[in-house]
Amino acid sequence: MTHPSHSKAADLIPNVFTPAMLAERWACSERHIRNMVASGELPAFRLAGKLLRIRGADVERFECQTGGSQDCGVNIASHGTRETSADVIDLEPMTRRRRPAAPRLDTRS
């Protein structure tokens, strides 16, 4: 029996995620999850000093902050987007252009 204030969304979020579980949930690579942890963007902890784990509460908080969850009171524009008005989200990436590649020195032109 569930508690009356217990939400169905909380049933879907495990207490702890592995990078593989979270990568599957967010449709990205495990390396991306590990990079987010390394940069401090996503809180995590290690079991026995080796196994990386992410708390379900931290996942839910991150999803709410980035607009990845529909169960939050307020959704915010996700990474790489700019909100221009209440109705429109500008999807233009906020990254710099790549510099042209340097000429190779080991080949003749």
Side-chain angles (χ1 to χ4, degrees):
M1 185 166 134
T2 61
H3 192 272
S5 65
H6 190 74
S7 72
K8 289 183 181 181
D11 293 335
L12 302 175
I13 298 179
N15 288 334
V16 177
F17 284 89
T18 65
M21 291 168 62
L22 202 49
E24 183 177 336
R25 178 182 176 100
W26 290 348
C28 65
S29 68
E30 282 185 59
R31 173 56 37 210
H32 181 68
I33 300 297
R34 291 177 186 279
N35 288 342
M36 291 172 69
V37 169
S39 71
E41 188 175 5
L42 184 64
F45 65 97
R46 292 197 178 270
L47 290 175
K50 188 160 182 125
L51 303 173
L52 187 63
R53 297 295 183 260
I54 302 104
R55 289 181 180 82
D58 291 331
V59 170
E60 188 172 13
R61 188 175 310 110
F62 183 85
E63 288 175 347
C64 286
Q65 289 173 350
T66 60
S69 175
Q70 300 300 321
D71 298 322
C72 300
V74 176
N75 281 331
I76 304 170
S78 63
H79 293 287
T81 63
R82 286 187 284 253
E83 194 164 347
T84 56
S85 74
D87 299 320
V88 178
I89 296 177
D90 182 10
L91 296 178
E92 180 183 339
M94 295 189 304
T95 58
R96 291 186 221 148
R97 290 190 175 172
R98 293 182 80 171
R99 294 187 341 208
R104 294 189 57 165
L105 301 176
D106 62 342
T107 60
R108 293 183 181 194
S109 323

